[in-house]
Amino acid sequence: MGNLMRRQGGLRRGRRSALAVGFTALLLGITACGSDDTTGSGGGGGGDNASGDSIVDLSTITDDQAQEMTDRAFGTTDVSLDSLDSTVQEALRRASIELDAAQQDKAFECWQNTTCTIGDGDITLGIADGFGGNLWRKTAKMEIILQALTYPSIGKIIFTDANADLPTFLSNVRSLSSQGATAIVSYNDFGAAALPAFKAAQAAGAKISTYVGPTPDAPADSLSNQITGDVCSMGEEMGKVATDDLGLTGDLAILNGTPGNPQGAAWNKCLIDTLPAGTQVAQSVDTDWTLAGAFDAGSALVSSGKDFGAVFYDYADPIPQVVEAYSKGGKQIPAIVTWTSNNGMAKVWEERLGTPDEFALFHTNALTWESRASVTAVMSELAGNTVEPVVIVPRPFVQAEKGYYLSDRPDDYPGPSALIPDELMTRMLAG
């Protein structure tokens, strides 16, 4: 029961409500910059001077307000703000600043373009995306822009998209550096292959932080820091969901992305090592992280003749294809435990509630907001503060609850853990 309660968030309220930051904070938000005061208790964020570069004095963001944002980001009330790395604490405090209509208009304008001016600051922020073509990446881009708007010293943002091509990505990073970007954040799709370009940019004076995906053993001269999760711990947690929360024994199944990818190898091993005697992974199938690949993998599980108690995956978007494969095969859908969240997945799960096809679903938050922590990390380092080279962010699994699906959002909407105001997200989707 304790583990189940640990994972029950109860936060399926739909979308972000406006966060009142207090009369004093609203007045300060009109000015060009905040004071040099430090953050409030439980704050921090890479050093005592970090909050000086802010449109709002961060000490006016109460712990309750920052905790509310933390609850939303993680999709559960079980992660306390003060348990997080100080950089992540500051990032969530900044995410709690309520931007006015003009600032949101500027964010939307910037999001629609590859280059934009957001103020008079002398810092150029570069966004080096390995592949920016889906809604998850576009949501992360907006999270970055909104975070940047809390820093008066950021005057310009440049966005690049490599369209999944390594040479283009390397060229983009060098281009950002040559255009004067001294703060660069990136979703690194290319692992260690990206490090030479990162190293060159940092040698030219930039600070670089990557978010979500890890780059193991990256030296400090190639990468200032990484905002990521503990992949092994996530595998272990998946095993605990299956055995402690769901009480499963017998055969389980794993779906992976591309064959032999290091992320899959790591969490697969840690999951398997967590399972008790009498519970085992009886089949593992690669999907290439595509919708068609997920359907084929689901079909392979159906045709195996085994009754799997649960299917584990590290990507939520193709889960509807796995469910479809089971439905077409006429077999009971097993419990599903997956990384990230997705509105299409929520839809197929909620449609089956109360029917013979109902299945248990556990997932993490969408992770898009972690890009905000990368902005805070590089800005803190540029201010002369120390940031951990690898900042580990917990990624708890929560049980899906009714109301998780939002009928007025598309299937590829990442879900309510995105820290973007509802009105602004609606404009993004309409555009």
Side-chain angles (χ1 to χ4, degrees):
M1 185 65 172
N3 285 326
L4 180 58
M5 291 304 292
R6 175 168 53 84
R7 298 189 184 93
Q8 287 274 27
L11 288 176
R12 301 300 169 213
R13 294 189 298 268
R15 310 178 197 109
R16 177 181 178 181
S17 58
L19 292 175
V21 294
F23 181 70
T24 302
L26 288 173
L27 288 178
L28 286 168
I30 300 172
T31 65
C33 61
S35 74
D36 289 332
D37 293 341
T38 59
T39 56
S41 61
D48 290 342
N49 296 324
S51 62
D53 184 16
S54 175
I55 61 171
V56 167
D57 179 355
L58 293 186
S59 67
T60 62
I61 304 297
T62 69
D63 287 344
D64 285 345
Q65 290 165 345
Q67 183 62 55
E68 180 182 347
M69 189 58 66
T70 302
D71 295 345
R72 185 158 206 87
F74 289 98
T76 176
T77 58
D78 296 328
V79 176
S80 62
L81 178 72
D82 60 9
S83 72
L84 301 171
D85 181 274
S86 60
T87 298
V88 180
Q89 290 186 44
E90 182 182 341
L92 289 167
R93 284 184 181 275
R94 287 180 178 274
S96 303
I97 297 172
E98 186 176 0
L99 301 179
D100 62 27
Q103 290 166 322
Q104 291 189 40
D105 286 345
K106 174 56 69 175
F108 185 67
E109 174 192 337
C110 192
W111 180 77
Q112 289 181 306
N113 294 284
T114 56
T115 303
C116 65
T117 300
I118 63 171
D120 299 324
D122 58 2
I123 292 177
T124 295
L125 172 66
I127 306 173
D129 204 337
F131 172 76
N134 60 41
L135 186 55
W136 193 98
R137 300 298 181 96
K138 293 176 182 178
T139 301
K141 178 184 177 182
M142 179 58 85
E143 302 262 22
I144 292 167
I145 293 167
L146 292 173
Q147 197 80 351
L149 282 166
T150 71
Y151 289 92
S153 61
I154 297 178
K156 185 177 182 181
I157 298 175
I158 305 173
F159 172 78
T160 62
D161 178 4
N163 292 305
D165 181 68
L166 174 59
T168 300
F169 183 78
L170 299 177
S171 175
N172 286 346
V173 173
R174 295 188 180 98
S175 174
L176 289 172
S177 177
S178 68
Q179 293 179 76
T182 53
I184 298 175
V185 296
S186 175
Y187 190 110
N188 177 17
D189 294 87
F190 306 102
L195 295 181
F198 287 165
K199 183 176 182 178
Q202 290 204 147
K207 297 293 184 181
I208 300 179
S209 176
T210 58
Y211 52 91
V212 180
T215 308
D217 303 318
D221 65 351
S222 298
L223 193 55
S224 297
N225 57 73
Q226 306 176 55
I227 309 297
T228 188
D230 186 324
V231 173
C232 182
S233 292
M234 293 182 75
E236 293 172 344
E237 191 74 2
M238 294 169 94
K240 292 174 183 177
V241 170
T243 56
D244 296 352
D245 294 344
L246 295 172
L248 297 176
T249 58
D251 291 341
L252 308 174
I254 285 176
L255 299 184
N256 278 308
T258 52
N261 77 86
Q263 173 178 281
W267 72 260
N268 286 190
K269 181 181 184 304
C270 294
L271 163 63
I272 292 168
D273 289 348
T274 302
L275 298 175
T279 305
Q280 61 281 324
V281 172
Q283 190 159 344
S284 177
V285 188
D286 293 323
T287 68
D288 291 319
W289 285 310
T290 67
L291 303 186
F295 180 83
D296 290 343
S299 299
L301 297 181
V302 170
S303 62
S304 71
K306 295 183 174 68
D307 293 321
F308 300 103
V311 173
F312 304 96
Y313 198 19
D314 53 9
Y315 185 29
D317 285 27
I319 290 299
Q321 280 65 40
V322 178
V323 171
E324 181 184 3
Y326 264 86
S327 295
K328 286 188 173 181
K331 291 201 68 171
Q332 177 63 43
I333 303 164
I336 292 175
V337 184
T338 186
W339 300 17
T340 72
S341 66
N342 171 269
N343 202 41
M345 176 178 72
K347 179 181 179 180
V348 299
W349 172 78
E350 198 156 306
E351 285 175 343
R352 286 161 175 77
L353 288 177
T355 76
D357 291 328
E358 182 175 338
F359 62 96
L361 174 63
F362 285 77
H363 58 91
T364 70
N365 71 84
L367 312 182
T368 58
W369 68 268
E370 292 183 17
S371 61
R372 290 175 177 260
S374 274
V375 177
T376 294
V378 290
M379 292 302 293
S380 187
E381 287 203 305
L382 287 175
N385 300 304
T386 300
V387 177
E388 291 294 325
V390 179
V391 176
I392 296 297
V393 180
R395 293 172 178 172
F397 289 85
V398 297
Q399 186 170 12
E401 299 174 357
K402 192 171 184 179
Y404 173 30
Y405 170 59
L406 301 177
S407 60
D408 60 344
R409 292 288 188 245
D411 285 356
D412 56 351
Y413 173 63
S417 65
L419 307 183
I420 297 172
D422 182 48
E423 297 81 2
L424 188 53
M425 180 60 78
T426 298
R427 290 174 69 184
M428 291 166 59
L429 295 172

